[in-house]
């Protein structure tokens, strides 16, 4: 049926709502504290269209009309836009963008933790062009650090926190050409345990950690899940032996994960799949924890450090669902991501924790037609197209959903289930999309993230707020007495002289 909210027909409904919003904006004080903690939430491929559509779906799953639902992300007071282009492409990938927002330097497509003088896939251009990430700066400042993702922990976004690679695809040594190995480059998985002493590592990617042919503990019969490494190393065992004398847990299933006590744990490596994790819509809650649970565990372990922490949480499969043209999956990933943000806010305090939510790049999803209020976000426009066929309000500019049969679009009059949305141009996988992405911020120095900025600015602003890295001005000014006090002292001493 048609959605009707009688209240909304009364202008006072809108005026009083706006008055409340205005008052909360007027009451807001700038938070100029030093950020003890940085919680960085990265929705991979979560452009503004995905954000809006996920908000509507979140509300509709709670039997609301959805458009006016307030997501956790919607409560962040400071909002800016980031320009996402890379040095060599107008539209970027996750590797180039991660190097921008984590290392503070824009670079080329497909490379991670190296500047734009490096060339994609060319090992010898890597040397001397490495750039370090805010995760390293935080670790060097004595903070605890962690990475939580729904993809492989060797995937572009998480890898950029710790690795330097001329190719994002060098997950294990088996993925590297011989020339790269000869020239001294090392795979991403081996850098995970070597480069930085990371306290919490949660995601997927077991198969890149173990020798070729090693049976996977969860899928021993599945050949594609077996270990990939050619060098015979077992990086999981190496990691465990490096942590001798510390409480370090490696887990691969939810039972063992749930048994990990954050209070007594120094290090955690949790790898729940051979590759990427399951989509939220497919996840078995008995076998695999949600991004909400992994985020909570990470924060509880990291926040024991009196110096604070840096945590990257990636909703990495929003992007992968879009690549497959599956908006339903992508939106469910985004809703789970929003719930993880809520958990992060619940476990931390705005006075001392800078929380950032952003996307690395967008995806070519459009939200179009004239759907009625409250109509399913995964539904069809009430008006049909000039070819006398209906169309969904969500569709893609390019991707696998382009099915033209005898010169006509598929007839979806009787189709209501989750399927691959139509795309204007046929591609095996969607390309990304190049418009600016939203940057949401709350906590210490969150106002620095307002405005339209280059994406690489994000790393510098976070580092400034937390006094990590090279720019320590925010801490130096803190130790000086406030100006009012100084003036009062002068006044008092003048009077005294009289």
């Amino acid at each position: 049926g048609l959605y009707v909210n009688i209240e909304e027909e009364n202008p006072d409904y809108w005026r009083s709502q706006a008055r409340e919003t205005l008052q909360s904006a007027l009451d807001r004080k700038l938070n100029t504290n030093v950020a003890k903690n940085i919680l960085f939430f990265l929705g991979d491929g979560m452009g503004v269209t995905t954000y809006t559509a996920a908000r509507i779906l979140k509300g509709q799953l709670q039997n609301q009309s959805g458009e006016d639902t307030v997501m956790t992300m919607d409560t962040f007071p400071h909002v800016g836009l980031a320009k996402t282009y890379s040095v060599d492409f107008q539209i970027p990938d996750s590797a180039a963008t991660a190097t921008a927002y984590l290392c503070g330097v824009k670079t080329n497509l497909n490379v991670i933790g190296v500047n734009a003088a490096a060339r994609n896939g060319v090992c010898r251009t890597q040397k001397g062009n490495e750039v370090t990430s805010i995760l390293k700066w935080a670790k060097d400042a004595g903070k605890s650090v962690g990475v939580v993702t729904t993809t492989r922990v060797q995937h572009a976004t998480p890898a950029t926190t710790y690795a330097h690679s001329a190719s994002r695809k060098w997950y294990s040594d088996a993925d590297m050409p011989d020339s790269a190995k000869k020239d001294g480059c090392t795979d991403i998985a081996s850098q995970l345990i070597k480069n930085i002493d990371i306290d919490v590592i949660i995601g997927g990617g077991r198969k890149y950690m173990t020798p070729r042919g090693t049976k996977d503990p969860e899928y021993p019969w599945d050949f594609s899940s077996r270990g990939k490494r050619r060098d015979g190393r077992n990086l999981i065992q190496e990691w465990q032996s490096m942590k001798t004398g510390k409480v370090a847990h490696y887990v691969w299933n939810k039972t063992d994960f749930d048994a990990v006590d954050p209070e007594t744990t120094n290090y955690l490596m949790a790898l729940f799949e051979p590759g990427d994790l399951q989509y939220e819509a497919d996840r078995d809650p008995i076998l695999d924890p949600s991004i909400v649970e992994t985020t909570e565990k990470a924060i509880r372990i990291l926040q024991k450090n009196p110096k604070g922490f840096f945590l990257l949480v990636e909703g990495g499969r929003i992007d992968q669902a879009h690549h497959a043209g599956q908006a339903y999956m992508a939106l469910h990933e985004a809703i789970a991501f929003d719930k993880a943000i809520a958990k992060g806010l619940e476990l931390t305090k705005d006075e001392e924790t800078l929380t950032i939510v952003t996307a690395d790049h967008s995806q070519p999803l459009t939200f179009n037609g004239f759907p009625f209020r409250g109509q399913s976000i995964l539904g069809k426009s009430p008006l049909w197209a000039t070819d006398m066929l209906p169309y969904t309000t969500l569709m893609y500019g390019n991707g696998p959903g382009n099915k033209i049969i005898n010169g006509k679009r598929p007839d979806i009059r009787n189709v209501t289930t989750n399927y691959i949305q139509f795309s204007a141009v046929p591609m095996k996988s969607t390309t990304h999309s190049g418009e600016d992405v939203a940057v949401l911020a709350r906590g210490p120095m969150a106002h620095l993230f307002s405005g339209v900025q280059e994406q690489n600015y994000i790393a510098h602003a976070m580092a400034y707020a937390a006094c990590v890295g090279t720019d320590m001005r925010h801490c130096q000014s803190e130790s000086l007495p406030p100006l009012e006090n100084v003036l009062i002292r002068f006044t008092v001493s003048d009077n005294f002289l009289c």
Side-chain angles (χ1 to χ4, degrees):
L2 193 58
Y3 166 84
V4 184
N5 181 353
I6 295 296
E7 257 191 318
E8 289 185 9
E9 295 183 8
N10 180 348
D12 284 339
Y13 169 83
W14 299 106
R15 290 174 185 139
S16 65
Q17 188 189 63
R19 264 199 304 274
E20 283 176 30
T21 306
L22 177 61
Q23 197 53 52
S24 67
L26 292 169
D27 293 342
R28 191 176 299 134
K29 302 269 187 288
L30 285 190
N31 179 342
T32 57
N33 295 344
V34 171
K36 176 185 174 185
N37 311 312
I38 302 173
L39 253 184
F40 187 83
F41 287 95
L42 191 285
D44 202 308
M46 191 183 71
V48 175
T49 310
T50 303
Y51 179 4
T52 304
R55 174 193 301 134
I56 293 172
L57 181 57
K58 183 168 188 170
Q60 292 182 346
L61 292 170
Q62 296 161 350
N63 290 327
Q64 299 158 356
S65 92
E67 302 85 1
D68 55 341
T69 296
V70 179
M71 287 183 105
T72 302
M73 289 187 253
D74 298 340
T75 65
F76 283 53
H78 299 279
V79 184
L81 293 173
K83 305 179 191 182
T84 64
Y85 67 90
S86 70
V87 172
D88 54 349
F89 283 84
Q90 235 171 32
I91 298 183
D93 75 327
S94 298
T97 50
T99 305
Y101 61 74
L102 290 170
C103 306
V105 174
K106 285 211 174 190
T107 190
N108 298 323
L109 216 67
N110 281 319
V111 305
I112 58 177
V114 288
N115 63 38
R119 295 289 174 264
N120 175 21
V122 186
C123 168
R124 56 187 165 73
T125 64
Q126 207 177 291
K127 301 277 181 308
N129 290 323
E130 296 89 353
V131 288
T132 55
S133 83
I134 187 163
L135 180 127
K136 183 176 185 345
W137 311 340
K139 188 73 192 187
D140 290 347
K143 296 185 188 295
S144 292
V145 296
V147 179
V148 169
T149 180
T150 50
T151 65
R152 292 154 267 192
V153 295
Q154 305 86 357
H155 212 256
T157 305
T160 305
T161 63
Y162 59 82
H164 311 284
S165 183
S167 171
R168 59 177 288 180
K169 299 196 173 93
W170 293 348
Y171 301 119
S172 80
D173 64 331
D175 302 306
M176 298 176 68
D178 290 338
S179 60
K181 291 186 223 175
K182 257 196 220 75
D183 287 341
C185 287
T186 55
D187 63 276
I188 293 165
S190 66
Q191 293 186 53
L192 168 63
I193 68 166
K194 178 174 184 276
N195 291 3
I196 302 168
D197 185 30
I198 306 174
D199 302 271
V200 175
I201 301 159
I202 304 178
R206 292 191 289 254
K207 65 185 177 185
Y208 305 112
M209 308 293 280
T210 54
R212 205 168 161 182
T214 307
K215 283 185 182 173
D216 187 79
E218 193 172 358
Y219 313 105
W221 64 89
D222 178 33
F223 202 74
S224 65
S225 298
R226 292 187 176 175
K228 297 272 178 251
R229 300 197 67 83
R230 295 242 170 97
D231 57 10
R233 293 172 67 186
N234 184 322
L235 300 181
I236 296 165
Q237 287 173 3
E238 286 186 30
W239 179 84
Q240 285 171 308
S241 62
M242 285 159 74
K243 304 292 182 244
T244 310
K246 298 277 195 324
V247 182
H249 297 291
Y250 166 72
V251 299
W252 60 266
N253 62 66
K254 188 171 189 294
T255 308
D256 293 344
F257 175 76
D258 289 345
V260 171
D261 178 2
E263 292 308 308
T264 59
T265 302
N266 304 120
Y267 293 95
L268 172 62
M269 183 189 282
L271 304 177
F272 296 109
E273 291 290 332
D276 300 321
L277 303 193
Q278 303 288 339
Y279 281 123
E280 180 59 25
D282 295 337
R283 180 177 66 84
D284 181 338
I286 298 163
L287 295 176
D288 294 300
S290 67
I291 188 173
V292 179
E293 295 167 271
T294 54
T295 299
E296 171 164 13
K297 187 82 77 176
I299 292 171
R300 289 195 186 279
I301 293 171
L302 298 173
Q303 71 186 170
K304 301 197 303 285
N305 186 336
K307 290 187 176 168
F309 65 83
F310 171 86
L311 175 63
L312 166 72
V313 177
E314 186 200 19
R317 302 211 71 193
I318 301 169
D319 181 68
Q320 294 178 342
H322 278 319
H323 277 301
Q326 294 182 295
Y328 171 92
M329 289 294 190
L331 299 187
H332 277 278
E333 291 298 300
I335 292 169
F337 181 65
D338 191 65
K339 288 178 181 162
I341 297 166
K343 181 56 75 177
L345 296 182
E346 180 196 315
L347 294 169
T348 57
K349 296 193 206 61
D350 268 357
E351 298 85 77
E352 59 175 24
T353 303
L354 172 64
T355 307
I356 304 289
V357 179
T358 187
D360 49 354
H361 54 72
S362 184
Q363 279 275 11
L365 181 73
T366 59
F367 179 20
N368 64 168
F370 279 107
F372 301 115
R373 276 294 296 283
Q375 186 182 306
S376 167
I377 187 68
L378 295 157
K380 290 165 263 201
S381 173
L383 297 175
W384 290 9
T386 51
D387 59 5
M388 296 304 158
L389 291 169
Y391 62 94
T392 55
T393 54
L394 292 178
M395 51 174 140
Y396 290 91
N398 65 41
N402 180 281
K403 297 184 178 63
I404 302 286
I405 301 146
N406 302 330
K408 296 193 85 153
R409 296 187 298 122
D411 184 345
I412 57 167
R413 276 176 297 187
N414 300 321
V415 179
T416 51
T417 50
N418 163 36
Y419 71 113
I420 294 177
Q421 273 75 10
F422 187 78
S423 69
V425 173
M427 300 278 284
K428 272 208 177 70
S429 165
T430 64
T431 67
H432 297 153
S433 144
E435 78 277 15
D436 298 351
V437 294
V439 183
L440 317 170
R442 57 190 292 165
M445 305 307 284
H447 52 284
L448 295 179
F449 297 87
S450 300
V452 182
Q453 314 292 1
E454 291 287 1
Q455 191 171 38
N456 67 295
Y457 166 76
I458 295 171
H460 296 269
M462 288 193 295
Y464 178 89
C467 291
V468 299
T470 51
D471 188 348
M472 302 300 284
R473 283 175 298 168
H474 191 39
C475 284
Q476 287 151 3
S477 62
E478 247 225 341
S479 56
L480 296 170
L483 199 54
E484 310 90 54
N485 300 2
V486 178
L487 294 174
I488 291 162
R489 271 182 223 145
F490 283 133
T491 327
V492 172
S493 55
D494 290 349
N495 294 350
F496 183 70
L497 290 172
C498 299

